[in-house]
């Protein structure tokens, strides 16, 4: 008698551990917008965005997106892709019209357009930070900050940058100045001979500051002089200024206007 065939075993039920992961079944999400303008690691681009772009535009967008909050000049895009000026400009304009890129003003190079993915906010290196508005030095904001700093120094007789910052926050909490910005303002006031940076003795007018610490006090009044009112005195980027630098008296529009008015 031939041996009987064994019935086939029933199909195994998938175990819970073998179920597809939520990540595998979840729909693709759009790339999130970053809230940190100086973020170093941009989030991944949504595959949906890339799938809807033709090849050349996709490569241009990926390149500019990777630059994050720094953005890219069109010349840099051309150098990286090998595209001609008209072709590169056409792709950039198309991406602008699609709402994927935006043009950003750069306070360092006003004649050049910077393209940036809409997912990012420009870095302070590009915007100029607190003291710039729409790419221009906000002289009213700088002047207001100088008045507040001077008031704190006059109140205490002498004060460190931390003490000035704390005093402004206490008296006018809505100002929102960062400590490093207060230091910038104090440095310009020293250069403009409004304040002096000195070492505290811990006595007399320095009673509020521990002996040996560097602090600021009101400078002795200077009668007139050509340096009075020079824009360099209210410029928060003065410590970055040099004849051959990106920020330079040779290219500063405010300095040139001052020369025309004063001479």
């Amino acid at each position: 008698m031939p041996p009987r065939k064994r019935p086939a075993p029933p199909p195994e039920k998938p175990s819970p551990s073998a179920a597809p992961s939520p990540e595998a079944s979840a729909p693709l999400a759009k790339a999130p917008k970053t809230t940190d303008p100086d973020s170093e690691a941009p989030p991944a681009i949504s595959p949906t965005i890339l799938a809807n772009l033709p090849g050349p535009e996709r490569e241009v967008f990926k390149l500019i997106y990777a630059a994050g909050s720094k953005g890219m000049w069109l010349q840099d895009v051309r150098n990286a892709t090998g595209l001609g000026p008209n072709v590169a400009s056409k792709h950039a304009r198309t991406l602008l019209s699609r709402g994927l890129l935006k043009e950003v003003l750069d306070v360092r190079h006003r004649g050049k357009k910077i393209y940036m993915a809409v997912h990012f906010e420009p870095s302070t290196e590009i915007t100029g930070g607190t003291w710039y508005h729409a790419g221009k030095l906000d002289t009213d904001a700088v002047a207001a900050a100088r008045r507040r700093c001077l008031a704190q120094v006059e109140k205490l007789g002498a004060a460190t940058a931390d003490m000035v910052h704390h005093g402004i926050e206490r008296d006018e909490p809505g100002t929102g100045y960062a400590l490093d910005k207060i230091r910038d303002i104090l440095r310009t006031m020293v250069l403009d001979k409004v304040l002096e940076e000195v070492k505290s003795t811990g006595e007399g007018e320095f009673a509020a500051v521990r002996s040996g610490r560097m602090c600021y006090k009101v400078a002795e009044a200077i009668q007139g002089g050509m340096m009075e009112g020079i824009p360099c005195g209210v410029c928060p980027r003065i410590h970055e200024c040099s004849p051959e630098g990106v920020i330079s008296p040779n290219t500063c529009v405010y300095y040139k206007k001052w020369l025309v008015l004063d001479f």
Side-chain angles (χ1 to χ4, degrees):
M1 237 178 116
R4 289 190 304 174
K5 291 183 179 181
R6 293 184 180 181
E12 294 183 4
K13 293 183 180 180
S15 63
S17 60
S21 63
E23 290 82 359
S25 57
L28 294 172
K30 290 184 178 180
K33 288 191 177 184
T34 178
T35 55
D36 181 5
D38 296 303
S39 175
E40 293 295 332
I45 308 175
S46 166
T48 305
I49 293 177
L50 296 178
N52 290 327
L53 293 175
E57 288 174 17
R58 185 187 310 126
E59 293 309 310
V60 170
F61 179 67
K62 286 167 64 177
L63 190 65
I64 296 175
Y65 188 93
S69 61
K70 305 295 184 185
M72 289 190 78
W73 295 330
L74 193 60
Q75 182 62 49
D76 292 335
V77 174
R78 288 175 52 201
N79 293 340
T81 59
L83 296 172
N86 293 335
V87 177
S89 179
K90 176 184 176 183
H91 291 324
R93 288 197 304 270
T94 301
L95 291 168
L96 282 170
S97 66
R98 285 173 173 262
L100 295 175
L101 294 185
K102 59 184 174 182
E103 291 181 347
V104 177
L105 290 173
D106 187 341
V107 297
R108 303 163 301 174
H109 308 281
R110 299 181 187 279
K112 295 183 179 181
K113 291 180 181 178
I114 284 188
Y115 291 97
M116 184 178 297
V118 296
H119 308 73
F120 302 96
E121 292 301 322
S123 66
T124 54
E125 181 183 354
I126 292 174
T127 63
T130 303
W131 312 121
Y132 283 78
H133 178 69
K136 296 181 180 180
L137 180 65
D138 190 341
T139 53
D140 290 339
V142 172
R146 284 164 62 91
R147 288 194 297 270
R148 292 181 174 110
C149 288
L150 181 60
Q152 293 299 321
V153 175
E154 288 177 335
K155 182 189 298 185
L156 296 169
T160 64
D162 299 84
M163 293 167 66
V164 172
H165 181 244
H166 177 74
I168 294 174
E169 280 195 326
R170 180 194 59 231
D171 297 344
E172 300 179 76
T175 54
Y177 298 139
L179 177 57
D180 64 319
K181 301 304 178 185
I182 292 297
R183 289 196 176 105
D184 286 343
I185 291 295
L186 292 171
R187 276 194 289 264
T188 66
M189 295 177 75
V190 170
L191 291 170
D192 206 30
K193 309 298 183 185
V194 176
L195 298 178
E196 294 178 17
E197 188 174 16
V198 294
K199 186 178 290 187
S200 171
T201 63
E203 301 176 354
E205 63 182 338
F206 298 103
V209 183
R210 190 174 69 247
S211 177
R213 290 196 68 184
M214 296 303 296
C215 60
Y216 299 90
K217 64 183 287 290
V218 177
E220 295 183 6
I222 300 176
Q223 300 299 320
M226 289 199 313
M227 293 301 291
E228 191 174 19
I230 187 171
C232 307
V234 298
C235 179
R237 307 293 287 276
I238 186 67
H239 58 287
E240 301 175 28
C241 187
S242 65
E244 304 300 328
V246 173
I247 299 174
S248 165
N250 298 324
T251 57
C252 179
V253 294
Y254 303 102
Y255 186 67
K256 288 179 180 177
K257 287 180 181 178
W258 178 79
L259 288 175
V260 171
L261 290 172
D262 281 42
F263 294 96

